[in-house]
Amino acid sequence: MPETVSTTAVSPESQTLPPLLDLQSVSFKYKDKTAVSGVTLSLDDGEIGAIVGPSGCGKSTLMRGIAGFETPIHGSIAMNGSVISTPDGVVEPENRGVGMVFQDVTLFPHLDVAQNIKFGIRKWHPDSQLQRIKELLDLFNLSNFEDRHPHSLSGGEQQRIALARAMAPRPQLLLMDESFSSLDVEHRHQLVPKVREVLKSEKISAILVTHNQNVGFALADRIGVMESGQLHQWDTPLNIYHQPCNRFTARFIGEGTLISATVLSERKLSTAFGTHYFENNERLQVGDQVDIMLRPDDILHDDESDIRGKVEHKAFRGSHFLYRVRLASEELLYCLADSHHNHHIGEWIGITPNIEHIVIFDKRNGEHRK
Ligand code: ADP
Ligand code: MG
């Protein structure tokens, strides 16, 4: 091919599609109270996100903002490259291609299952309606439920119908606010993977907000961790677990504890339970004081070990025990043990570190990971 330079050439960047959803530094406020503060995140077409955080941290406000029920005081929201929310105005919720499911199932009690699902597609051709209803009932394993009324369904069945109803118009994005929180553990275990499967097969992107991180991990390709209106991290589940960006995320996700450590040499740290090699990517200096994050699977129980900790709490988890032990240094950590190692509260047990990757928080610069 001859080498020509075209002034109209399209650069590779401009050929890539914009993300399905793009939040730039978006904030929401109720009167004097800022409920969501400077949240930036993006979601690609077909991706599922989950935002986890304690009650009151702003999750529902963020969902309502994405759905178009709240006007931001700062920042912007775009879908497919078009801005749909700024402080100057918002595109109406019904014109966003966004569906929403809430914690409390709000099926219409006087309508049967088919009529409930039909609600959002009532303007479609009747044949298409019937086909879509059948398709969704099959996907959610609810064939033959068409004529049933909500009062005759279990909580899990009602929740599946509510999801089917929200998915019926094929929204580009489905927002779920604590949609699984009212279910018991067993129903949740069944339903969450099913919903993931259906969303993927229907190619519907989704965001779930939940205070239950296990639900987030089971459902999502991307996880966000929120606290007091701020989104600390928006990342893959693995990175959220193994590379938490700050102390809050480290502690909130997966039973992490933090232990003091001192830098002994270029690659060695000393802690209350011995010395450890680490990758000194952060140019820490000898004598620096840091905190390191430990997960339960970083510490194993070992009767032979000289490192001892006193059992303060134990939880039987079937295949293993999770022990909470206090070191002589007064520091706490969690440790896993095979379930035949049944020790009692107050007993000193041996522990051995099994740390593959040390996550370090520098004490000098406060919150953030080095
Ligand atoms: P979450 O869903 O994480 O529990 P919310 O988004 O519901 O959090 O609430 C975030 C903060 O905003 C809370 O402090 C809450 O009390 C406050 N808030 C929520 N809704 C309103 C409202 N309609 N008016 C005033 N304050 C509100
Ligand atoms: Mg909420």
Side-chain angles (χ1 to χ4, degrees):
M1 246 170 63
E3 259 194 9
T4 53
V5 178
S6 162
T7 50
T8 58
V10 181
S11 72
E13 282 90 330
S14 60
Q15 281 178 328
T16 57
L17 289 171
L20 171 74
L21 179 71
D22 193 17
L23 273 61
Q24 290 295 329
S25 199
V26 72
S27 302
F28 296 95
K29 194 171 172 180
Y30 299 105
K31 295 202 180 87
D32 295 342
K33 186 182 164 53
T34 301
V36 170
S37 178
V39 168
T40 294
L41 66 82
S42 72
L43 192 75
D44 282 334
D45 197 17
E47 265 188 327
I48 303 173
I51 293 174
V52 301
S55 188
C57 72
K59 304 183 296 296
S60 294
T61 305
L62 185 61
M63 287 297 102
R64 287 203 300 273
I66 296 172
F69 295 110
E70 307 282 348
T71 303
I73 53 155
H74 184 262
S76 66
I77 301 176
M79 268 181 85
N80 301 307
S82 303
V83 174
I84 53 171
S85 289
T86 69
D88 297 331
V90 296
V91 172
E92 296 293 304
E94 57 272 25
N95 296 327
R96 295 187 163 212
V98 173
M100 211 165 162
V101 190
F102 299 93
Q103 171 171 2
D104 300 316
V105 179
T106 47
L107 293 176
F108 305 115
H110 55 290
L111 299 183
D112 67 23
V113 163
Q115 290 164 332
N116 262 285
I117 298 178
K118 199 164 82 180
F119 184 77
I121 52 173
R122 57 195 183 282
K123 292 186 183 145
W124 290 19
H125 188 279
D127 291 346
S128 313
Q129 288 178 7
L130 283 180
Q131 194 188 338
R132 183 69 178 142
I133 292 166
K134 184 179 179 322
E135 207 169 82
L136 284 161
L137 289 175
D138 285 349
L139 276 169
F140 280 109
N141 301 336
L142 288 167
S143 309
N144 306 321
F145 275 62
E146 290 94 322
D147 304 331
R148 302 268 295 270
H149 274 75
H151 67 84
S152 73
L153 305 172
S154 71
E157 288 161 353
Q158 290 190 31
Q159 195 56 270
R160 277 183 280 168
I161 303 296
L163 286 160
R165 185 177 63 182
M167 285 185 202
R170 297 203 176 83
Q172 281 203 301
L173 177 66
L174 182 69
L175 302 175
M176 296 177 279
D177 190 346
E178 302 276 6
S179 297
F180 307 100
S181 302
S182 56
L183 300 179
D184 57 46
V185 178
E186 195 185 334
H187 278 117
R188 214 160 44 219
H189 273 311
Q190 288 167 359
L191 187 55
V192 173
K194 183 75 205 169
V195 170
R196 182 178 163 87
E197 186 191 311
V198 175
L199 288 170
K200 290 290 176 185
S201 76
E202 291 263 296
K203 298 191 173 55
I204 295 176
S205 307
I207 299 184
L208 167 79
V209 299
T210 174
H211 64 277
N212 182 332
Q213 48 173 292
N214 293 330
V215 173
F217 275 100
L219 188 82
D221 307 308
R222 244 158 225 288
I223 307 247
V225 179
M226 252 183 114
E227 182 201 13
S228 308
Q230 296 191 339
L231 184 71
H232 287 309
Q233 193 168 0
W234 176 246
D235 213 330
T236 62
L238 269 181
N239 283 350
I240 291 277
Y241 188 81
H242 290 294
Q243 308 281 331
C245 72
N246 62 16
R247 291 161 197 261
F248 178 83
T249 305
R251 288 210 176 96
F252 187 75
I253 298 288
E255 297 163 323
T257 52
L258 295 170
I259 296 272
S260 303
T262 309
V263 178
L264 278 187
S265 67
E266 176 62 16
R267 295 197 50 227
K268 240 175 164 182
L269 286 170
S270 126
T271 70
F273 55 92
T275 58
H276 304 277
Y277 285 98
F278 75 111
E279 297 267 334
N280 193 352
N281 298 329
E282 321 299 343
R283 303 209 190 88
L284 290 170
Q285 287 163 16
V286 173
D288 279 353
Q289 296 288 314
V290 296
D291 284 327
I292 63 171
M293 179 191 73
L294 295 171
R295 300 288 192 204
D297 46 332
D298 289 330
I299 304 289
L300 303 178
H301 167 50
D302 175 6
D303 283 323
E304 306 300 315
S305 172
D306 292 335
I307 309 165
R308 317 294 283 181
K310 190 173 168 188
V311 176
E312 278 201 351
H313 183 267
K314 70 189 216 189
F316 181 55
R317 298 207 168 167
S319 62
H320 60 268
F321 278 109
L322 177 68
Y323 286 111
R324 191 175 78 211
V325 301
R326 196 173 285 278
L327 303 173
S329 66
E330 289 294 318
E331 289 170 310
L332 273 182
L333 41 80
Y334 289 94
C335 140
L336 291 179
D338 283 347
S339 59
H340 54 272
H341 287 270
N342 186 5
H343 296 285
H344 50 261
I345 308 281
E347 194 178 337
W348 286 80
I349 62 171
I351 55 169
T352 185
N354 174 40
I355 307 169
E356 280 189 10
H357 174 81
I358 293 188
V359 176
I360 295 173
F361 295 96
D362 191 339
K363 285 193 174 167
R364 288 170 311 188
N365 63 0
E367 271 297 293
H368 284 80
R369 177 160 55 89
K370 285 292 289 175

